Amino acid sequence: MNLDNPKELETEIRKVVEVTIEKDINALSLDDNVLQKMGLDSMTALEIMAAMEERFKIRIQEQDLPKITSLRSVMEVLVRYLKKKEAKT
Amino acid sequence: MTAMTKFFKDEILKHLPHRPPFLFIDEVDHLVTGQDIRAIKNVRVEEEYFKGHFPSNPIMPGVLIIEALAQASCVLYAVSLPSDAIRSYYLSSSKIRFLKPVMPPCRLELHSVSTKMVSQGGVFKVKAVVSNDTVAEGEMTFACQTQK
């Protein structure tokens, strides 16, 4: 994953979110609240978090769960963890 | 991670708020904290729900298989994230595919692997097995609340 290419990361995040919530999210903007816009409950954020961990082979801390709101904030969380992971390898 | 030895109803009841007739685990024969569990439900012909599901053709209702898998996941959660508070669990979602009917008498194995557990709940990959055949599998998420 090229972290300097936000479009590539966004596409990947959209794919993971779509598979997780089983809904088409093409109409969602980066700043829309995914749960509110798609009529989902708060536990869906945990499912998205778990799916991101599985896809990107990272472990996200519980304190970041409230940040799983919009695609942009998911992206920000992921970039932070992926950079940490990259620094370790 | 800690592996636990086999345990039975008395110990299970310490970890679950569920009680008969809505308790669907008889024993736990494998548990690694934070990781996975295998619990057992001995499915008996005498169980009340078989009188109606279905007369002369007893088949364990799919919703009860989901419930049993959820209870196994709850035990894994409770042992992995212990708390002195009384907890309630609410199934948030389940995506389960049923592959074969479960008919009594049988030993229903309930496998659950933690994908993610946090203080508010957990996400699990689950599988129910009878005689080495997978009868149901999928994923489930539940929320956990502590009672004041």
Side-chain angles (χ1 to χ4, degrees), chain A residues 19-20 22 41 43 46-47 49-50 53-54 59-60 62 65, chain B residues 92-93 95 115-116 118-123 125 141-143:
Chain A
V19 169
T20 306
E22 296 178 320
D41 70 5
M43 292 309 287
L46 184 59
E47 291 175 18
M49 194 182 195
E53 287 188 347
E54 206 165 19
R59 206 74 190 147
I60 303 171
E62 181 171 354
L65 183 58
Chain B
S92 162
S93 80
K95 298 171 193 166
T115 305
K116 185 80 183 167
V118 298
S119 60
Q120 291 132 291
V123 183
K125 288 193 190 331
T141 302
F142 62 71

Short mmCIF file of all heavy atoms in Angstrom, two decimals, chain A residues 19-20 22 41 43 46-47 49-50 53-54 59-60 62 65, chain B residues 92-93 95 115-116 118-123 125 141-143:
data_model
loop_
_atom_site.label_atom_id
_atom_site.label_comp_id
_atom_site.label_asym_id
_atom_site.label_seq_id
_atom_site.Cartn_x
_atom_site.Cartn_y
_atom_site.Cartn_z
N VAL A 19 -17.96 -4.17 1.85
CA VAL A 19 -18.09 -5.60 2.13
C VAL A 19 -18.60 -5.79 3.57
O VAL A 19 -19.46 -6.63 3.83
CB VAL A 19 -16.73 -6.32 1.93
CG1 VAL A 19 -16.77 -7.73 2.47
CG2 VAL A 19 -16.36 -6.34 0.45
N THR A 20 -18.11 -4.97 4.48
CA THR A 20 -18.49 -5.12 5.89
C THR A 20 -19.95 -4.77 6.13
O THR A 20 -20.67 -5.51 6.80
CB THR A 20 -17.59 -4.23 6.79
OG1 THR A 20 -16.23 -4.53 6.50
CG2 THR A 20 -17.87 -4.46 8.26
N GLU A 22 -22.27 -4.34 3.79
CA GLU A 22 -23.13 -4.90 2.73
C GLU A 22 -24.07 -3.85 2.15
O GLU A 22 -25.26 -4.10 1.97
CB GLU A 22 -23.91 -6.10 3.27
CG GLU A 22 -23.00 -7.26 3.68
CD GLU A 22 -23.73 -8.44 4.26
OE1 GLU A 22 -24.68 -8.22 5.03
OE2 GLU A 22 -23.36 -9.57 3.95
N ASP A 41 -25.89 0.82 13.36
CA ASP A 41 -25.68 1.05 14.79
C ASP A 41 -24.19 1.19 15.11
O ASP A 41 -23.33 0.93 14.27
CB ASP A 41 -26.36 -0.05 15.63
CG ASP A 41 -25.67 -1.39 15.50
OD1 ASP A 41 -24.61 -1.47 14.86
OD2 ASP A 41 -26.19 -2.36 16.05
N MET A 43 -22.17 -0.52 16.83
CA MET A 43 -21.32 -1.70 16.80
C MET A 43 -20.76 -1.96 15.41
O MET A 43 -19.79 -2.70 15.25
CB MET A 43 -22.09 -2.93 17.32
CG MET A 43 -22.44 -2.88 18.78
SD MET A 43 -21.04 -2.50 19.85
CE MET A 43 -20.13 -4.03 19.77
N LEU A 46 -17.22 -1.13 15.17
CA LEU A 46 -16.31 -2.18 15.64
C LEU A 46 -16.06 -3.20 14.52
O LEU A 46 -14.94 -3.68 14.34
CB LEU A 46 -16.91 -2.86 16.88
CG LEU A 46 -16.04 -3.93 17.56
CD1 LEU A 46 -14.71 -3.35 18.03
CD2 LEU A 46 -16.79 -4.54 18.74
N GLU A 47 -17.12 -3.51 13.76
CA GLU A 47 -16.96 -4.44 12.64
C GLU A 47 -16.03 -3.85 11.58
O GLU A 47 -15.19 -4.56 11.00
CB GLU A 47 -18.32 -4.77 12.02
CG GLU A 47 -19.19 -5.61 12.93
CD GLU A 47 -20.59 -5.85 12.38
OE1 GLU A 47 -20.80 -5.67 11.17
OE2 GLU A 47 -21.47 -6.21 13.17
N MET A 49 -13.72 -1.64 12.10
CA MET A 49 -12.38 -1.65 12.70
C MET A 49 -11.74 -3.03 12.56
O MET A 49 -10.58 -3.16 12.15
CB MET A 49 -12.54 -1.29 14.19
CG MET A 49 -11.28 -0.94 14.90
SD MET A 49 -11.76 -0.63 16.63
CE MET A 49 -10.33 0.19 17.24
N ALA A 50 -12.51 -4.07 12.87
CA ALA A 50 -11.99 -5.44 12.78
C ALA A 50 -11.64 -5.79 11.33
O ALA A 50 -10.62 -6.43 11.07
CB ALA A 50 -13.03 -6.42 13.32
N GLU A 53 -8.41 -4.12 10.37
CA GLU A 53 -7.27 -4.84 10.96
C GLU A 53 -6.91 -6.05 10.13
O GLU A 53 -5.74 -6.32 9.87
CB GLU A 53 -7.63 -5.30 12.38
CG GLU A 53 -7.68 -4.19 13.40
CD GLU A 53 -7.84 -4.73 14.82
OE1 GLU A 53 -8.16 -5.92 14.98
OE2 GLU A 53 -7.67 -3.94 15.76
N GLU A 54 -7.94 -6.78 9.72
CA GLU A 54 -7.72 -8.00 8.95
C GLU A 54 -7.10 -7.66 7.58
O GLU A 54 -6.16 -8.30 7.15
CB GLU A 54 -9.06 -8.72 8.77
CG GLU A 54 -8.90 -10.21 8.58
CD GLU A 54 -10.22 -10.95 8.76
OE1 GLU A 54 -11.29 -10.31 8.68
OE2 GLU A 54 -10.17 -12.16 8.99
N ARG A 59 -3.13 -3.82 14.27
CA ARG A 59 -3.96 -3.96 15.47
C ARG A 59 -4.31 -2.55 15.94
O ARG A 59 -3.42 -1.81 16.37
CB ARG A 59 -3.13 -4.71 16.54
CG ARG A 59 -3.95 -5.46 17.54
CD ARG A 59 -4.55 -6.74 16.95
NE ARG A 59 -5.51 -7.29 17.91
CZ ARG A 59 -6.59 -7.94 17.55
NH1 ARG A 59 -6.88 -8.14 16.29
NH2 ARG A 59 -7.41 -8.42 18.46
N ILE A 60 -5.58 -2.19 15.84
CA ILE A 60 -6.01 -0.83 16.19
C ILE A 60 -6.45 -0.81 17.66
O ILE A 60 -7.19 -1.69 18.11
CB ILE A 60 -7.16 -0.37 15.26
CG1 ILE A 60 -6.70 -0.43 13.79
CG2 ILE A 60 -7.60 1.05 15.61
CD1 ILE A 60 -7.82 -0.20 12.77
N GLU A 62 -8.39 0.27 21.12
CA GLU A 62 -9.79 0.59 21.42
C GLU A 62 -10.04 2.11 21.45
O GLU A 62 -11.10 2.58 21.07
CB GLU A 62 -10.19 -0.05 22.75
CG GLU A 62 -11.64 0.24 23.09
CD GLU A 62 -12.15 -0.55 24.28
OE1 GLU A 62 -11.44 -1.42 24.80
OE2 GLU A 62 -13.30 -0.28 24.69
N LEU A 65 -11.55 3.66 18.45
CA LEU A 65 -12.89 3.26 17.98
C LEU A 65 -13.82 4.46 17.74
O LEU A 65 -14.51 4.50 16.71
CB LEU A 65 -13.52 2.26 18.97
CG LEU A 65 -14.89 1.69 18.60
CD1 LEU A 65 -14.87 0.98 17.25
CD2 LEU A 65 -15.38 0.72 19.68
N SER B 92 -25.67 -7.84 17.98
CA SER B 92 -25.80 -6.68 17.11
C SER B 92 -25.98 -7.11 15.66
O SER B 92 -26.78 -6.55 14.93
CB SER B 92 -24.55 -5.81 17.28
OG SER B 92 -24.41 -4.93 16.24
N SER B 93 -25.20 -8.11 15.25
CA SER B 93 -25.41 -8.64 13.89
C SER B 93 -24.91 -10.07 13.83
O SER B 93 -24.02 -10.47 14.60
CB SER B 93 -24.69 -7.79 12.85
OG SER B 93 -23.33 -8.12 12.81
N LYS B 95 -24.13 -12.99 10.62
CA LYS B 95 -24.20 -13.42 9.21
C LYS B 95 -23.85 -14.90 9.23
O LYS B 95 -22.67 -15.27 9.28
CB LYS B 95 -23.17 -12.65 8.38
CG LYS B 95 -23.39 -11.16 8.34
CD LYS B 95 -22.20 -10.45 7.69
CE LYS B 95 -22.27 -8.95 7.94
NZ LYS B 95 -21.01 -8.26 7.63
N THR B 115 -12.26 -12.02 16.52
CA THR B 115 -11.65 -11.13 15.53
C THR B 115 -11.22 -9.85 16.22
O THR B 115 -10.16 -9.31 15.96
CB THR B 115 -12.67 -10.81 14.41
OG1 THR B 115 -13.15 -12.04 13.87
CG2 THR B 115 -12.04 -10.00 13.31
N LYS B 116 -12.10 -9.37 17.13
CA LYS B 116 -11.81 -8.14 17.86
C LYS B 116 -12.66 -8.10 19.12
O LYS B 116 -13.86 -8.34 19.06
CB LYS B 116 -12.16 -6.94 16.97
CG LYS B 116 -11.81 -5.59 17.55
CD LYS B 116 -10.34 -5.29 17.36
CE LYS B 116 -9.91 -3.99 17.99
NZ LYS B 116 -8.45 -3.87 18.05
N VAL B 118 -13.34 -5.50 22.47
CA VAL B 118 -13.08 -4.26 23.19
C VAL B 118 -14.10 -4.18 24.32
O VAL B 118 -14.99 -5.03 24.41
CB VAL B 118 -13.18 -3.02 22.26
CG1 VAL B 118 -12.15 -3.08 21.15
CG2 VAL B 118 -14.57 -2.88 21.67
N SER B 119 -14.01 -3.13 25.15
CA SER B 119 -14.89 -3.08 26.31
C SER B 119 -16.37 -2.99 25.93
O SER B 119 -17.24 -3.40 26.70
CB SER B 119 -14.51 -1.91 27.21
OG SER B 119 -14.63 -0.71 26.48
N GLN B 120 -16.67 -2.48 24.72
CA GLN B 120 -18.08 -2.35 24.32
C GLN B 120 -18.66 -3.59 23.65
O GLN B 120 -19.85 -3.65 23.40
CB GLN B 120 -18.24 -1.18 23.36
CG GLN B 120 -18.03 0.16 24.01
CD GLN B 120 -17.11 1.02 23.18
OE1 GLN B 120 -15.91 0.74 23.05
NE2 GLN B 120 -17.64 2.06 22.58
N GLY B 121 -17.81 -4.55 23.29
CA GLY B 121 -18.33 -5.73 22.62
C GLY B 121 -17.26 -6.45 21.82
O GLY B 121 -16.07 -6.18 21.98
N GLY B 122 -17.72 -7.34 20.95
CA GLY B 122 -16.75 -8.12 20.18
C GLY B 122 -17.28 -8.59 18.84
O GLY B 122 -18.48 -8.60 18.60
N VAL B 123 -16.32 -8.94 17.98
CA VAL B 123 -16.62 -9.49 16.65
C VAL B 123 -15.98 -10.87 16.60
O VAL B 123 -14.82 -11.03 16.99
CB VAL B 123 -16.03 -8.60 15.53
CG1 VAL B 123 -16.40 -9.13 14.16
CG2 VAL B 123 -16.48 -7.15 15.68
N LYS B 125 -15.66 -14.92 14.54
CA LYS B 125 -15.94 -15.86 13.46
C LYS B 125 -16.39 -17.15 14.15
O LYS B 125 -15.70 -17.63 15.06
CB LYS B 125 -14.67 -16.13 12.64
CG LYS B 125 -14.26 -14.95 11.76
CD LYS B 125 -13.22 -15.39 10.76
CE LYS B 125 -12.57 -14.27 9.98
NZ LYS B 125 -13.28 -13.06 9.72
N THR B 141 -21.49 -10.20 15.83
CA THR B 141 -21.00 -9.08 16.64
C THR B 141 -21.99 -8.89 17.79
O THR B 141 -23.19 -8.97 17.57
CB THR B 141 -20.98 -7.78 15.80
OG1 THR B 141 -20.14 -8.00 14.67
CG2 THR B 141 -20.43 -6.61 16.60
N PHE B 142 -21.47 -8.71 18.99
CA PHE B 142 -22.39 -8.35 20.06
C PHE B 142 -21.86 -7.18 20.86
O PHE B 142 -20.66 -6.90 20.89
CB PHE B 142 -22.73 -9.54 20.96
CG PHE B 142 -21.59 -10.16 21.70
CD1 PHE B 142 -20.95 -9.52 22.75
CD2 PHE B 142 -21.17 -11.44 21.36
CE1 PHE B 142 -19.91 -10.12 23.44
CE2 PHE B 142 -20.11 -12.04 22.04
CZ PHE B 142 -19.49 -11.38 23.07
N ALA B 143 -22.79 -6.49 21.47
CA ALA B 143 -22.45 -5.38 22.36
C ALA B 143 -22.52 -5.90 23.79
O ALA B 143 -23.32 -6.79 24.10
CB ALA B 143 -23.44 -4.24 22.17
#
